[in-house]
Amino acid sequence: MALLLLVFSFPASAIEPIKISREDVALDLSRAVEIYRNQGQNFQVSTAPGIDGIVRRIEVEALDERSSGDWAVFALANTTDRQLDRLIVAPHYRLVNSGLIWPDLGSNRIAAITPSEGFTLDRQASRDADIFLVTLNPGSIVTFIAELSSPRLPQVYLWEPEAYKDTMNSYTLFRGIVIGIAGLLALFLTILFVVKGTSMFPATAALSWAVLAYICIDFGFLNQVLEITAGSERLWRAGTEIALAATLVVFLYTYLNLNRWHLHFSYGAFTWVLALVALSGVLLFDPSVASGIARFSFALTAVVGLGIIAFLSARGYDRAIMLVPSWLMILVWLAGSWMAVTGALDNDIVQPALGGGLVLIILLIGFTVMQHAFAGGALHQGLFSDMERQALAIAGSGDTVWDWDVLRDRVITRPDVTRQLGLPQGSLHGPARNWLPALHAEDRDTFRTTLDVILEHRRGRVSQSFRMRGADGHYHWFTLKARPIIGSDGEIIRCVGTLVDVTEQKKAEERLLHDAVHDNLTGLPTRELFLDRLDALISIARTGESVRPTVIVVDIDRFKQVNDGLGISAGDTILLTIARRLHRLLKPQDSLSRFGGDQFAMLLVSEQEPTRVAAVAEAMKKAINAPIMFAKREIVLSASLGLASWTASHANAGEMVKDAELAMHQAKRFGGDRIEPFRPAFRSVGTDRLQLESDLRRAVERQELRLAYQPIVRLEDRSIAGFEALLRWEHPRRGPIPPADFIPVAENCGLIVPLGLFAMQQAADDLAMWQKQVGEVPLSVSVNLSSRQLIRRDLVSDVRSVVARANIKPRCFRLELTESLVMDNPEQSAHILAKLRQIGIGLSLDDFGTGYSSLAYLTRFPFDTIKIDKSFIDDTSPKRSVLLRSMVGMAHELGLSVVAEGVADDNDALELRQMGCEYVQSFLFGPPIQADAALRLLKEQYPLVKA
């Protein structure tokens, strides 16, 4: 070494020496060291002032080829009266302050150290640090110039030799214990993987080996086993950090079974791990960059994993809940590591403590996964599943067997369900997630959640219906019924059951549900569905939302005349036409309903301004007024419209509709063909109807109702063949009230059923009394049936009970129904009438000729009598006789008897008799009379019969 000393008389630029005493065991010289960059092979620097106070300038020439051109300078002063031996130690790697991006992965720090007096210091043998022995004479002040092998010198210590040796021995013991625990844990988890071949255990074992490799490098243990140079140590260190980051991703993905339902997790995890594997290529060129990315990946995995674990834990996923303590420790360890690499924690204990903490984390993770170690051997599972599948296949009676091997996550169906769906054979055999794309979007979450709940709770049964898309794009309904199979450790190893195609049943249910709330003729929603939707809108309106629904009730004026003149089929065609016209006026938010008969209702939400609402109502009125062509005839109709907009006073949908109906009835009172908005004064107009309803309820209780009987006479001999029972109400204050006034009220308020039952029972009792008085004579009594009674399921049992209580023969009791009543629901009517006919009672078709009069309809229903409507008898056209003769002839051909109503004179009666008509009923042959008057008529007709 060439050392040139120059003497200066001023100490201005000299460095400050560090004073050393005998008690100083270890000193950190890092902050006292001055670094000089890019000084080349020759370096000049001023020394610390000597004992004589003189500052000298020395020039040093590099002695080592590893010199980087960077130099470090520091000075030591021995303040004692004894010679001191000390070790200058510069660690090759130090986690503290190593950095997160482009971290310092360690290298040789100092090539040589030259003192200002004496010879170059001797290097001590060490794989982990650059160590130099220095001897300081009593009272000496020595300046040291260190040739740096790398640009960075993170730490320089001054140790007392024996203290350094004891400290390293203690660290060696700690590191040996930690490495031993990590090695045993990695070996144990590997053996566990061999015994139990599920993916969770190799992932945990791989993470354990990565931790073991990391601490072996960090603690310098690998240097004792392999010959690792200072340069290659950086590669090993960066490689273990990459392995640690990759195996943590694999463990999180595998342990939480993220591949079961979330296919995007599979793509994400695969891409993540693949990127880390590709990072190994970067490792060969720049280990610092590779290490920085790996550290960032580890931190990102911890944060993302925290979110996934929190989400799954909130849903009750047991594995996620059990991983919470381990993951919290990872986050704590991550925070400590971040503080260390950024320099926030700066002491010698941090690095070994973090290594020990990492082993503690993997130890806790190992304990977490060990509960799954004895879920049953593969041989036992395979044998058990075959036996169970065969048993359930027999019990399933030919249904598809659905078998899910939970541990292998493989679903098998026998026979293959893909044949029913037209999909490629075996496309649904495999992981349970393969079923998700084939399921309807609305059923996927339910299917996934059901199986997850079964797995997590380890009990229960699967009973679920879902839709699966076939190759043609149509969906098939399936019902899955399965039960879990529990292994010896309480974990579910299989889930086996049956899969049944229930598409036809579901379609039938949907049809029934649709028909229950939709009109059979127009397909529009019924009153009940309309009220339900209106109630929902009123609830929204009460929350302060800008929603103000309006109800418009439409009633066709004089529509009964259309039915009477053209027939019910024409009326139905006209109603369909009107429904289509009104439907064209709807906007997506609005709704149209048929309340029944010729009455419609619109729920208007799209318009809220009064002028716009009125415009919509006017458009509806014009749509109805437009001519309708039917059978080359132009039919012009008008309508009465009542509208009511929502206000806070409306408690529910029923009140709002009632106000709109009151407005509609007021429009009718004003002559019809007009629009009438609701006004509170209309409610007083309807009080008469309400009072009538209240009085009618009391009339039933007070027995104010009675029956009047109009005779049905044989044309052949003018004898009484029977009576038609007509309901009468004698009001205590108003006097007689016509049936046309109180029957509609009874139908609307639900009293028609008890009134009808009263009429049937009273008529049967009176008939029994007559027969008791006059004997067994050919006599019958007829009772009119309402629509509410016809649709009741109890009608047949009621009729049977009435006949039995009166103790009359069923053939003497008759029910009369109108054609329009029967055709409101022809399928149900045919079913009920057939059961009534089985009892043995008579059935008469009333008002024949005003509706569905045709041979097809007469043959469809089990009537034995038809009653020709009065309008045909009163007809004065030349074709009257031809029409009547054809009707009577048709009835006879079908085996039906004929009753003519409304015969006004004897000429009509004679003509009808000549045509073959058997019976007549009119005021000419007898008005409606009381039961006792009817008995007197019978006694006059049968005077010789014993009473």
Side-chain angles (χ1 to χ4, degrees):
M1 177 189 72
L3 177 61
L4 176 63
L5 296 178
L6 300 176
V7 180
F8 293 85
S9 58
F10 53 89
S13 60
I15 64 175
E16 186 70 24
I18 299 174
K19 297 178 181 181
I20 305 173
S21 64
R22 295 177 58 188
E23 290 76 16
D24 295 330
V25 176
L27 293 177
D28 188 354
L29 306 179
S30 304
R31 296 182 180 179
V33 174
E34 296 183 0
I35 305 296
Y36 296 86
R37 304 289 184 190
N38 302 319
Q39 299 299 316
Q41 297 297 311
N42 295 300
F43 173 60
Q44 295 183 2
V45 67
S46 298
T47 65
I51 299 176
D52 54 6
I54 298 176
V55 176
R56 295 170 175 80
R57 190 168 182 81
I58 63 176
E59 182 177 357
V60 182
E61 182 179 353
L63 300 176
D64 198 299
E65 295 180 355
R66 294 174 298 174
S67 178
S68 63
D70 300 324
W71 302 80
V73 180
F74 58 94
L76 303 176
N78 185 357
T79 59
T80 68
D81 57 355
R82 294 186 180 184
Q83 190 179 60
L84 298 178
D85 291 334
R86 293 291 186 266
L87 294 176
I88 299 174
V89 180
H92 289 169
Y93 174 72
R94 195 165 183 266
L95 180 66
V96 173
N97 213 14
S98 62
L100 182 61
I101 306 299
W102 288 287
D104 180 9
L105 299 179
S107 65
N108 291 332
R109 303 299 183 181
I110 300 176
I113 299 179
T114 303
S116 59
E117 59 183 52
F119 296 97
T120 302
L121 302 185
D122 293 333
R123 179 186 293 271
Q124 304 298 303
S126 176
R127 293 178 179 271
D128 302 325
D130 295 323
I131 304 176
F132 297 88
L133 177 63
V134 59
T135 301
L136 298 175
N137 294 323
S140 63
I141 300 176
V142 182
T143 300
F144 296 91
I145 299 93
E147 303 174 30
L148 300 183
S149 301
S150 64
R152 299 185 63 177
L153 185 63
Q155 198 74 36
V156 179
Y157 294 96
L158 187 68
W159 280 92
E160 195 277 325
E162 292 300 323
Y164 180 74
K165 180 179 178 181
D166 293 342
T167 301
M168 291 300 102
N169 288 339
S170 64
Y171 277 139
T172 301
L173 177 61
F174 170 77
R175 290 168 177 170
I177 293 174
V178 171
I179 291 174
I181 294 173
L184 288 175
L185 182 60
L187 185 61
F188 174 75
L189 291 173
T190 303
I191 295 173
L192 200 60
F193 158 55
V194 174
V195 174
K196 175 64 181 172
T198 57
S199 59
M200 174 174 54
F201 298 100
T204 310
L207 181 60
S208 301
W209 285 109
V211 170
L212 177 63
Y214 175 80
I215 61 175
C216 283
I217 291 291
D218 194 53
F219 289 173
F221 177 76
L222 200 61
N223 293 337
Q224 310 298 327
V225 180
L226 301 175
E227 186 66 30
I228 299 177
T229 63
S232 62
E233 183 179 354
R234 301 173 69 245
L235 298 177
W236 280 93
R237 193 178 303 281
T240 56
E241 291 185 0
I242 293 174
L244 197 60
T247 52
L248 184 63
V249 174
V250 173
F251 167 76
L252 179 68
Y253 170 79
T254 306
Y255 178 80
L256 294 179
N257 274 335
L258 298 180
N259 63 316
R260 177 172 296 156
W261 306 122
H262 311 283
L263 195 58
H264 51 283
F265 281 151
S266 300
Y267 294 144
F270 178 77
T271 304
W272 199 329
V273 173
L274 188 63
L276 290 173
V277 172
L279 193 61
S280 302
V282 180
L283 171 70
L284 301 175
F285 300 98
D286 195 336
S288 294
V289 172
S291 176
I293 296 175
R295 292 181 179 185
F296 178 78
S297 172
F298 190 93
L300 185 60
T301 303
V303 174
V304 172
L306 177 63
I308 295 175
I309 292 171
F311 172 74
L312 296 178
S313 297
R315 300 181 63 185
Y317 190 27
D318 282 354
R319 288 192 181 185
I321 295 173
M322 295 179 64
L323 193 60
V324 169
S326 302
W327 212 258
L328 290 178
M329 287 189 62
I330 290 177
L331 293 175
V332 173
W333 185 89
L334 187 64
S337 299
W338 178 80
M339 295 175 68
V341 300
T342 56
L345 286 178
D346 188 1
N347 56 64
D348 297 333
I349 303 177
V350 172
Q351 187 167 337
L354 289 175
L358 195 58
V359 173
L360 183 60
I361 290 172
I362 196 62
L363 187 63
L364 183 57
I365 290 176
F367 283 132
T368 302
V369 301
M370 273 206 307
Q371 64 171 324
H372 305 282
F374 306 102
L379 178 62
H380 170 71
Q381 296 163 11
L383 180 61
F384 186 79
S385 65
D386 288 340
M387 295 172 61
E388 188 70 11
R389 184 163 56 242
Q390 292 172 11
L392 291 177
I394 296 173
S397 301
D399 293 335
T400 300
V401 177
W402 188 84
D403 179 15
W404 181 26
D405 186 341
V406 177
L407 298 177
R408 299 177 182 175
D409 192 15
R410 180 173 176 80
V411 176
I412 297 176
T413 56
R414 291 288 185 270
D416 194 350
V417 74
T418 54
R419 297 177 183 175
Q420 295 174 253
L421 299 174
L423 299 175
Q425 186 173 0
S427 58
L428 294 179
H429 287 180
R433 66 169 180 268
N434 289 356
W435 285 60
L436 296 181
L439 291 175
H440 193 282
E442 297 177 359
D443 298 331
R444 292 172 188 168
D445 286 342
T446 306
F447 178 77
R448 178 170 49 218
T449 304
T450 301
L451 296 187
D452 277 342
V453 168
I454 290 293
L455 292 182
E456 296 313 315
H457 292 275
R458 304 179 185 90
R459 64 178 183 273
R461 290 179 179 272
V462 179
S463 182
Q464 182 189 5
S465 296
F466 48 79
R467 289 159 287 184
M468 298 187 71
R469 186 176 61 241
D472 57 358
H474 291 87
Y475 283 94
H476 297 250
W477 276 97
F478 288 90
T479 294
L480 174 63
K481 292 184 178 180
R483 66 180 182 88
I485 300 173
I486 311 300
S488 58
D489 64 340
E491 291 289 333
I492 294 178
I493 59 176
R494 296 193 100 86
C495 194
V496 186
T498 59
L499 190 67
V500 183
D501 189 337
V502 293
T503 304
E504 294 303 322
Q505 294 91 315
K506 283 291 182 179
K507 288 182 178 179
E509 291 175 7
E510 291 173 359
R511 285 194 298 268
L512 290 174
L513 181 61
H514 180 275
D515 292 344
V517 293
H518 288 81
D519 179 55
N520 290 335
L521 176 64
T522 62
L524 296 175
T526 59
R527 186 187 188 97
E528 289 74 15
L529 184 55
F530 183 89
L531 291 174
D532 183 71
R533 292 177 178 176
L534 182 55
D535 268 326
L537 285 173
I538 290 176
S539 299
I540 297 173
R542 290 189 182 281
T543 62
E545 298 287 340
S546 57
V547 175
R548 189 168 179 266
T550 298
V551 174
I552 304 176
V553 176
V554 182
D555 190 271
I556 311 300
D557 297 331
R558 295 174 295 280
F559 187 73
K560 187 176 185 303
Q561 297 179 5
V562 176
N563 275 342
D564 292 343
L566 301 178
I568 293 181
S569 63
D572 288 348
T573 303
I574 293 171
L575 288 176
L576 279 171
T577 304
I578 293 175
R580 294 191 186 101
R581 289 181 179 180
L582 295 179
H583 197 272
R584 294 191 192 103
L585 302 177
L586 294 181
K587 292 185 178 179
Q589 309 96 305
D590 305 330
S591 177
L592 182 66
S593 173
R594 185 188 180 197
F595 274 11
D598 58 347
Q599 195 173 102
F600 296 86
M602 176 183 284
L603 179 55
L604 185 62
V605 183
S606 59
E607 303 293 348
Q608 299 185 16
E609 292 294 329
T611 55
R612 296 296 303 161
V613 171
V616 173
E618 185 63 32
M620 295 173 66
K621 180 173 172 293
K622 290 181 178 178
I624 297 172
N625 290 343
I628 300 174
M629 297 300 298
F630 181 81
K632 298 182 180 181
R633 294 179 59 180
E634 186 176 81
I635 303 171
V636 178
L637 299 173
S638 63
S640 299
L641 287 78
L643 59 89
S645 296
W646 178 80
T647 61
S649 63
H650 289 124
N652 51 50
E655 290 186 3
M656 192 171 172
V657 171
K658 185 176 181 180
D659 287 347
E661 288 178 332
L662 287 175
M664 180 269 294
H665 288 301
Q666 191 66 19
K668 279 191 171 296
R669 291 189 186 97
F670 290 152
D673 194 20
R674 61 184 292 143
I675 302 169
E676 196 68 37
F678 170 76
R679 290 187 289 274
F682 292 168
R683 289 174 181 157
S684 61
V685 177
T687 55
D688 290 343
R689 185 180 182 90
L690 294 176
Q691 185 63 44
L692 190 65
E693 178 181 331
S694 177
D695 291 345
L696 183 59
R697 292 183 184 276
R698 287 196 293 268
V700 176
E701 300 170 1
R702 297 174 180 175
Q703 299 180 349
E704 297 174 0
L705 298 167
R706 58 184 178 80
L707 292 181
Y709 298 94
Q710 185 171 27
I712 300 175
V713 178
R714 295 184 183 88
L715 278 175
E716 181 180 2
D717 55 4
R718 303 294 179 104
S719 62
I720 298 175
F723 294 92
E724 179 181 356
L726 303 172
L727 196 60
R728 295 290 185 263
W729 180 16
E730 190 70 30
H731 195 279
R733 295 192 316 274
R734 300 185 181 184
I737 297 179
D741 290 344
F742 72 83
I743 292 298
V745 174
E747 289 180 342
N748 289 334
C749 67
L751 288 174
I752 193 64
V753 173
L755 289 184
L757 188 58
F758 163 77
M760 287 192 295
Q761 189 64 62
Q762 186 64 49
D765 291 342
D766 287 343
L767 176 61
M769 183 267 292
W770 297 336
Q771 290 180 339
K772 186 176 181 181
Q773 293 291 328
V774 300
E776 292 292 334
V777 296
L779 187 68
S780 66
V781 65
S782 301
V783 180
N784 289 287
L785 201 65
S786 70
S787 58
R788 290 290 184 95
Q789 291 175 281
L790 183 61
I791 63 175
R792 289 182 71 247
R793 297 181 179 178
D794 298 334
L795 176 61
V796 178
S797 59
D798 287 345
V799 172
R800 187 181 288 111
S801 176
V802 165
V803 172
R805 287 179 183 178
N807 194 22
I808 61 174
K809 295 180 179 179
R811 68 172 182 271
C812 298
F813 189 79
R814 310 185 63 83
L815 291 178
E816 292 191 6
L817 302 87
T818 62
E819 295 183 57
S820 57
L821 173 62
V822 172
M823 293 312 300
D824 276 346
N825 194 332
E827 288 79 10
Q828 186 176 4
S829 298
H831 177 69
I832 294 177
L833 293 178
K835 288 190 174 183
L836 290 173
R837 190 62 178 167
Q838 290 175 2
I839 299 175
I841 68 169
L843 296 174
S844 298
L845 182 61
D846 200 6
D847 297 338
F848 180 74
T850 61
Y852 291 87
S853 302
S854 70
L855 183 61
Y857 289 120
L858 287 177
T859 56
R860 187 172 182 180
F861 303 107
F863 292 109
D864 55 20
T865 303
I866 64 171
K867 300 182 74 173
I868 300 176
D869 189 70
K870 178 178 179 296
S871 59
F872 293 95
I873 308 300
D874 295 339
D875 191 5
T876 58
S877 65
K879 299 180 180 179
R880 167 180 173 274
S881 299
V882 177
L883 184 59
L884 289 174
R885 185 176 293 106
S886 63
M887 293 169 68
V888 173
M890 178 183 64
H892 289 167
E893 289 294 329
L894 294 174
L896 307 177
S897 59
V898 180
V899 178
E901 295 182 301
V903 177
D905 53 48
D906 290 332
N907 292 331
D908 291 337
L910 179 61
E911 183 181 6
L912 287 169
R913 180 183 177 184
Q914 292 173 351
M915 292 178 182
C917 179
E918 295 96 333
Y919 307 100
V920 292
Q921 177 184 346
S922 69
F923 279 84
L924 177 64
F925 292 91
I929 56 177
Q930 301 299 319
D932 53 353
L935 178 59
R936 288 194 295 269
L937 280 179
L938 291 174
K939 287 183 176 181
E940 292 174 4
Q941 179 172 321
Y942 302 101
L944 300 180
V945 178
K946 183 172 65 175

